[in-house]
Amino acid sequence: MGKLIAATGNQAVAQAMRQIDPHVVAAYPITPQTDVVEEFASFVSDGLVSTEFVPVESEHSAMSTVIGSSAAGVRAMTATSSQGLALMWEMLYIAAGLRLPIVMAVANRALSAPLNIHGDQSDSMGARDSGWIQLYCKNQQEAYDTLIQAIRIAEHKDVRLPVMVCYDGFIVSHSLSGVTLLDDDKVKAFVGKHVPLYPLLDSKNPVSYGGLVLFDFYFEFRRQMVDGMARAPRVIDEVAMEFAEISGRHYGRYEKYKIDDAEIGVVVLGSAASTSEVVVDELRAKGIKAGVMRLKSLRPFPREELAKELGHLKALAVLDRADSPGALGGPVGLEVRSAFFESEKRPKLINGIYGLGGRDTTPEHIASVFYSLQKIAEGGKVEEPLFYLGLRGGKDDGRQSEAAIAQARAAGQRA
Amino acid sequence: MKSEQKENPGASAKAVAPKEKPGWADVPIGAVVLEAGCGVEYETGEWRSERPVVNTDKCINCLFCWVFCPDGAVIVENEKFKAIDYYHCKGCGICSNECPAKVITMVEETKFQEANGEASAAVQGNGNIKAKTGGKGE
Ligand code: SF4
Ligand code: SF4
């Protein structure tokens, strides 16, 4: 079944787009997303897709074009990163507010300044309130699989919200991995025919999009959008089950790795989950009950599920590949902490910021976090509720991880 | 949205009957306006601070005003200038600027109303606006 190829995350995403064969793709190249567009443009020129490809002059125009196309009544996709996503900002809210089922691949990258092209999740984290569904993938295969599922999720009548499929810049977008592609006709059948809702081009049933809505109705429309988000978990789960049937691969809105009987654990998004799993295996071999909770669906956020699945832990670290200067912690840390507020049973919680600007996060770094958690679980105090992992210098920042790495080394851990 | 709008002299009794505003679960998805041409019900005329007053005796029926009016507020009948639709005219003055015969004068709305009384302010050519302006009749 399917075909195993060697592909980067971007190539895998471009292959998914080829198989989806959307009516319209409008995109502007930006590192590290560039090859998605480059590769897809070659599919267009080779006649492998029937897509109307619009090479626009900016990301603002790219998002505007797919918004217009989607409202017109067709399936429209794009891809971006970092500054490109930032430039789309205004239009992101419009896509979601108009309830247009646009699907966008986001190769996560740091935001300027200072200028940096490497991976962190600051770009899409900032867009978490825009009304887009956000799914974070851990590897190339998952990026491919998720993009295909995203079409079904976005277009589902109970959801009708745009979806961002996020994967770490360079770590996933540019590294080669084995990716199993589904057969073209299977993907075609899975995504199905696009059924537009209130298409602008239906001249027999004329409608208008984008009218002025003031204090008397705006509130109601925004609340209705939240309802689309509230219905999304069921749809995401159903689509995942259906996808598993044709592919043999299943992804949940969150994924547990040895967490059920764990005493300490980390919550992490994206590729760092794979690193964390390796560390957990090593710790388990030493009798340390560690586990990983990978959060895939940041929007909608599985609040109740996380509180339930992680409540038994003694200590938990939430790892954020984005910071929120002046806040209590990183965006995911804040939200996981809030998720526990109503729970009787909850772990002691620390929040680590890691990997900004593509800073490598090694198994040693993750191991150092688990060692800190172990100390807390053994009755130690939470000394640094917010810490920076793998950061040089500073009075407090990074000390915890540096000290813990030294401790881990001393204890004969891999170094 | 409709229920919020002011009564349109051209609208039917049914359309202007007071309605409960729908709750969040009942508004159309994405704020899509499902009715065509409903802009005709929206009184933009109340935005006007100056009104175009046309000296129809000297009008040469070139219809420049009809072409240039950004609001479709010039009513034409049998290819001749008929009236200004004050329910929609925003008073931008473009017609007055473009009129080659210089027969459209912009008059301050307050002054006009002082001189003519508020009641007569909406009179000139208001008639059945919807049918005349190409909106949904009735
Ligand atoms: S532009 Fe002036 S002259 Fe021409 S139709 Fe209008 S009012 Fe009459
Ligand atoms: S003043 Fe402006 S809106 Fe009013 S009729 Fe003239 S052009 Fe149209």
Side-chain angles (χ1 to χ4, degrees):
Chain A
M1 185 175 63
K3 188 170 132 200
L4 179 66
I5 61 161
T8 64
N10 283 342
Q11 287 166 344
V13 161
Q15 285 293 339
M17 287 171 71
R18 177 183 63 75
Q19 294 178 314
I20 293 164
D21 194 5
H23 300 97
V24 172
V25 168
Y28 189 83
I30 182 167
T31 305
Q33 153 268 32
T34 311
D35 342 68
V36 174
V37 185
E38 217 169 67
E39 194 100 347
F40 189 79
S42 75
F43 297 150
V44 174
S45 60
D46 292 347
L48 299 177
V49 288
S50 57
T51 306
E52 180 72 38
F53 180 66
V54 192
V56 285
E57 80 285 8
S58 79
E59 285 85 358
H60 190 281
S61 303
M63 187 44 66
S64 302
T65 304
V66 289
I67 286 171
S69 309
S70 185
V74 301
R75 190 173 273 158
M77 298 180 79
T78 185
T80 196
S81 292
S82 182
Q83 309 302 122
L85 184 63
L87 189 52
M88 284 180 181
W89 219 256
E90 179 189 15
M91 307 314 293
L92 292 180
Y93 281 73
I94 292 173
L98 296 179
R99 308 292 297 274
L100 299 172
I102 294 159
V103 172
M104 170 162 68
V106 176
N108 283 117
R109 165 185 148 182
L111 284 167
S112 238
L115 179 61
N116 179 296
I117 56 164
H118 287 282
D120 75 31
Q121 293 159 355
S122 310
D123 49 1
S124 57
M125 280 298 158
R128 70 195 187 280
D129 294 340
S130 61
W132 283 61
I133 289 172
Q134 290 195 334
L135 305 172
Y136 290 80
C137 306
K138 73 172 179 182
N139 58 30
Q140 294 82 341
Q141 181 73 59
E142 191 181 348
Y144 167 83
D145 292 338
T146 305
L147 202 75
I148 294 167
Q149 294 177 57
I151 298 285
R152 290 278 305 277
I153 298 164
E155 293 177 9
H156 195 285
K157 65 174 174 33
D158 292 345
V159 177
R160 293 286 303 184
L161 284 171
V163 180
M164 257 179 230
V165 176
C166 307
Y167 51 101
D168 291 322
F170 287 101
I171 298 168
V172 175
S173 73
H174 280 62
S175 49
L176 270 177
S177 168
V179 175
T180 305
L181 302 184
L182 293 165
D183 296 333
D184 291 359
D185 55 344
K186 269 204 176 148
V187 176
K188 198 174 171 194
F190 184 81
V191 297
K193 205 171 153 323
H194 179 69
V195 184
L197 189 66
Y198 305 128
L200 269 176
L201 290 182
D202 179 0
S203 56
K204 289 204 182 73
N205 298 292
V207 295
S208 342
Y209 278 77
L212 176 71
V213 180
L214 300 178
F215 43 76
D216 56 339
F217 272 88
Y218 179 88
F219 205 177
E220 278 70 25
F221 285 115
R222 297 307 287 186
R223 174 64 183 86
Q224 196 185 61
M225 192 175 88
V226 176
D227 197 48
M229 199 55 97
R231 291 161 190 248
R234 181 183 55 77
V235 173
I236 295 171
D237 292 349
E238 278 171 14
V239 172
M241 288 301 289
E242 231 183 280
F243 187 79
E245 276 164 32
I246 63 157
S247 68
R249 294 182 295 274
H250 180 268
Y251 308 91
R253 282 175 287 125
Y254 55 88
E255 292 209 321
K256 299 189 286 182
Y257 188 75
K258 302 190 179 174
I259 200 95
D260 285 345
D261 69 337
E263 290 174 349
I264 54 175
V266 296
V267 172
V268 66
L269 279 61
S271 61
S274 308
T275 315
S276 305
E277 287 171 12
V278 171
V279 175
V280 161
D281 285 345
E282 288 176 9
L283 294 176
R284 287 266 170 179
K286 293 184 161 53
I288 298 167
K289 288 190 165 173
V292 183
M293 169 63 83
R294 178 171 74 91
L295 180 57
K296 175 168 186 177
S297 170
L298 183 78
R299 287 290 176 274
F301 185 79
R303 181 180 72 86
E304 281 166 28
E305 291 92 332
L306 286 195
K308 207 178 105 221
E309 304 275 15
L310 302 173
H312 67 281
L313 297 174
K314 288 182 178 158
L316 174 68
V318 182
L319 301 181
D320 263 292
R321 202 162 197 155
D323 204 352
S324 179
L328 286 175
V332 187
L334 290 176
E335 203 136 341
V336 173
R337 195 182 287 273
S338 297
F340 282 118
F341 189 77
E342 269 117 39
S343 308
E344 297 280 310
K345 269 177 70 180
R346 58 188 189 213
K348 287 193 172 154
L349 199 146
I350 55 174
N351 185 192
I353 310 293
Y354 75 99
L356 297 192
R359 171 68 50 87
D360 207 9
T361 301
T362 63
E364 288 75 21
H365 288 129
I366 304 288
S368 77
V369 173
F370 277 114
Y371 275 92
S372 301
L373 288 173
Q374 228 189 344
K375 276 206 308 200
I376 295 167
E378 283 162 5
K381 273 195 16 216
V382 174
E383 271 159 20
E384 282 180 299
L386 178 65
F387 62 96
Y388 290 81
L389 194 57
L391 177 80
R392 283 190 312 278
K395 226 165 148 227
D396 305 311
D397 299 347
R399 213 170 38 182
Q400 176 163 347
S401 55
E402 293 293 328
I405 287 173
Q407 196 190 353
R409 283 201 176 117
Q413 295 301 304
R414 51 181 296 163
Chain B
M1 282 168 286
K2 212 166 140 185
S3 55
E4 182 60 13
Q5 284 144 16
K6 280 200 167 182
E7 184 176 331
N8 176 352
S12 73
K14 194 174 157 231
V16 298
K19 267 190 283 179
E20 277 280 304
K21 284 178 196 156
W24 67 263
D26 301 317
V27 292
I29 190 166
V32 176
V33 181
L34 301 173
E35 221 173 318
C38 60
V40 88
E41 290 174 33
Y42 193 66
E43 186 183 358
T44 47
E46 63 177 9
W47 303 0
R48 191 174 56 237
S49 60
E50 286 189 336
R51 70 162 48 203
V53 175
V54 186
N55 181 354
T56 41
D57 294 344
K58 292 190 175 162
C59 165
I60 57 171
N61 286 311
C62 66
L63 302 187
F64 271 32
C65 53
W66 175 74
V67 170
F68 281 103
C69 174
D71 279 291
V74 174
I75 302 168
V76 170
E77 210 171 74
N78 299 324
E79 298 182 13
K80 290 209 161 83
F81 174 90
K82 174 134 189 272
I84 302 287
D85 163 11
Y86 290 109
Y87 191 77
H88 296 112
C89 164
K90 293 175 188 163
C92 66
I94 291 174
C95 53
S96 167
N97 201 49
E98 297 296 337
C99 173
K102 297 286 166 225
V103 298
I104 307 180
T105 318
M106 298 306 290
V107 181
E108 244 180 74
E109 195 64 32
T110 44
K111 289 205 177 122
F112 182 87
Q113 290 188 11
E114 272 163 27
N116 299 276
E118 224 172 303
S120 68
V123 171
Q124 195 178 359
N126 225 355
N128 186 355
I129 286 156
K130 286 180 147 190
K132 299 289 191 311
T133 53
K136 307 184 313 140
E138 298 306 299

